[in-house]
């Protein structure tokens, strides 16, 4: 049974790798500092047409996406290190390997759009505008964190961003349930980040149908290559435009992969092999896909990208230094920020005799 499962997983990964093999090839090179690339065609459900199969990437966009994905990757690796050093406690779900999802999604929407997400959301926090310092400092539970050190890994917020949510699936009803969204034709994009595993079970073993983009039933869907930032960007633009045109909600399944285990208590190699993870790293890594595209099309040089890597490393190291030295919030601040704007009021503590003041 174990050998059969390994063979099945290998076939799935090989099939995806074969489909993505052409994506680093340049379709054309223009003189205006941009290049046109082929991207994977999305599978469609209840749609007559989908996102384009080619897209233009400018040098500025490529450098921006590269820096953002590399920042998310190294921020998550630093969080892993801080957790093992016991600066971070409690739950912590890392998204390294899934960087193309958060960066591509942000590239396809407007800053004024609203996002609700679940856990494994550090990357989305960053792309929505939170600094690395505020994210890492929130993880260590210090005052300088984006939620004043009181939220932690699963409760980070910023303007137009309401996540992540620590209850599995709870963000769905918060963002309007499928039925209500379809009835009222709400402009809502539902997203499934399918990283192939639940807490420790391969999707093929857990679901009779793994076509999650069809799970909306009466809601149109897209299956998207979630390891390609350009594919995610174009699919997101398509989905957002679909909703803005008054057609109602749409569902996107982003096929991606997580390098770490489900959480910090999960080594991630009891239900999959190290060889499988390494195969994805070597053939489908989202940062490498973008890097190869940019270098092959002469949108950037290897030296330029190395310089970005050096700058990102310094930013992460500086943020980690702050996150481990910033003071923890005082006990008196436990009841602060219950509401975003309200007059001060008392909050009862663990017993009726302990009172805290809530300050917005």
């Amino acid at each position: 049974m174990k050998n059969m499962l390994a063979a099945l997983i290998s076939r799935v990964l090989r099939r995806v790798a074969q489909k993505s093999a052409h994506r680093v090839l340049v379709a054309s090179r223009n003189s205006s500092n941009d290049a046109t690339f082929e991207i994977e065609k999305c599978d469609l459900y209840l749609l007559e047409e989908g996102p384009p199969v080619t897209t233009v990437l400018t040098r500025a966009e490529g450098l921006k996406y590269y820096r953002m994905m590399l920042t998310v990757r190294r921020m998550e690796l630093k969080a892993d290190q801080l957790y093992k050093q016991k600066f971070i406690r409690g739950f912590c779900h890392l998204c390294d390997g899934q960087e193309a999802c958060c960066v591509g999604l942000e590239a396809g929407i407007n800053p004024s759009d609203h996002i609700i997400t679940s856990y494994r959301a550090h990357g989305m926090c960053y792309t929505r505008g939170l600094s690395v310092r505020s994210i890492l400092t929130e993880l260590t539970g210090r005052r300088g964190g984006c939620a004043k050190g009181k939220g932690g890994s699963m409760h980070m917020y910023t303007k137009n961003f309401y996540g992540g949510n620590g209850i599995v699936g709870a963000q769905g009803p918060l963002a309007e349930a499928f039925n209500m969204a379809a009835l009222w034709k709400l402009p809502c994009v539902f997203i499934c980040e399918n990283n192939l595993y639940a807490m420790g079970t391969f999707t093929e073993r857990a679901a009779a149908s793994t076509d999650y983009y069809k799970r909306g039933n009466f809601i149109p869907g897209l299956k998207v290559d979630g390891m390609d930032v350009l594919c995610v960007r174009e699919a997101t633009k398509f989905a957002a435009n679909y909703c803005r045109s008054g057609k109602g909600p749409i569902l996107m399944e982003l096929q991606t992969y997580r390098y770490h285990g489900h959480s910090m208590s999960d080594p991630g190699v009891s239900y999959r092999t190290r060889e499988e993870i390494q195969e994805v790293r070597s053939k489908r890594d989202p940062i490498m896909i973008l890097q190869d595209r940019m270098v092959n099309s002469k949108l950037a040089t290897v030296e330029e990208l190395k310089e970005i890597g050096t700058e990102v490393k310094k930013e992460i190291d500086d943020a980690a230094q702050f996150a481990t030295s910033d003071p923890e919030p005082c006990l008196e601040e436990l009841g602060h920020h219950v509401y975003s704007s309200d007059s001060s009021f008392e909050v009862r503590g663990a017993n009726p005799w302990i009172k805290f003041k809530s300050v917005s």
Side-chain angles (χ1 to χ4, degrees), residues 17 151 157:
Y157 309 90

Side-chain angles (χ1 to χ4, degrees), residues 26-236:
V26 183
S28 66
R29 176 74 167 97
N30 303 322
S31 58
S32 58
N33 220 15
D34 59 38
T36 302
F37 297 95
E38 293 180 356
I39 55 177
E40 184 64 40
K41 182 179 180 180
C42 296
D43 292 340
L44 308 180
Y45 176 66
L46 298 181
L47 291 167
E48 294 182 358
E49 61 178 0
V53 293
T54 62
T55 187
V56 175
L57 177 69
T58 67
R59 168 179 160 82
E61 290 171 338
L63 292 174
K64 178 182 178 181
Y65 301 160
Y66 181 81
R67 180 183 291 272
M68 292 179 77
M69 287 202 290
L70 191 61
T71 299
V72 173
R73 172 71 55 85
R74 293 193 173 176
M75 179 177 70
E76 295 294 70
L77 295 178
K78 180 59 71 172
D80 173 70
Q81 178 185 348
L82 293 176
Y83 196 98
K84 291 171 180 174
Q85 293 173 339
K86 300 188 184 306
F87 284 110
I88 298 174
R89 300 298 185 100
F91 294 105
C92 186
H93 304 83
L94 305 180
C95 69
D96 48 317
Q98 303 181 199
E99 295 86 358
C101 294
C102 57
V103 175
L105 285 169
E106 188 63 35
I109 60 175
N110 302 325
S112 58
D113 292 328
H114 301 269
I115 292 181
I116 300 175
T117 185
S118 64
Y119 55 76
R120 210 177 307 283
H122 304 161
M124 193 71 71
C125 295
Y126 174 73
T127 57
R128 279 272 88 181
L130 289 173
S131 67
V132 174
R133 173 182 282 200
S134 69
I135 294 171
L136 288 181
T137 307
E138 185 60 35
L139 291 176
T140 58
R142 310 301 175 102
R143 287 184 180 180
C146 57
K148 311 299 183 185
K150 297 188 290 184
S153 178
M154 293 191 286
H155 300 91
M156 299 188 187
Y157 309 90
T158 188
K159 185 177 176 60
N160 298 331
F161 177 69
Y162 317 95
N165 199 300
I167 303 173
V168 177
Q171 75 280 7
L174 289 175
E176 299 294 346
F178 283 2
N179 183 60
M180 188 179 295
L183 279 173
W184 293 351
K185 291 191 178 299
L186 300 179
C188 183
V189 181
F190 294 97
I191 297 171
C192 167
E193 286 185 82
N194 177 13
N195 59 27
L196 300 185
Y197 291 93
M199 291 182 69
T201 307
F202 184 49
T203 54
E204 298 279 352
R205 292 186 64 186
S209 172
T210 56
D211 289 335
Y212 299 111
Y213 69 108
K214 299 179 181 178
R215 292 290 185 92
N217 192 8
F218 37 78
I219 296 177
L222 298 167
K223 181 188 286 186
V224 185
D225 180 5
M227 301 299 273
D228 181 352
V229 67
L230 298 185
C231 197
V232 176
R233 182 188 71 175
E234 294 307 310
T236 304

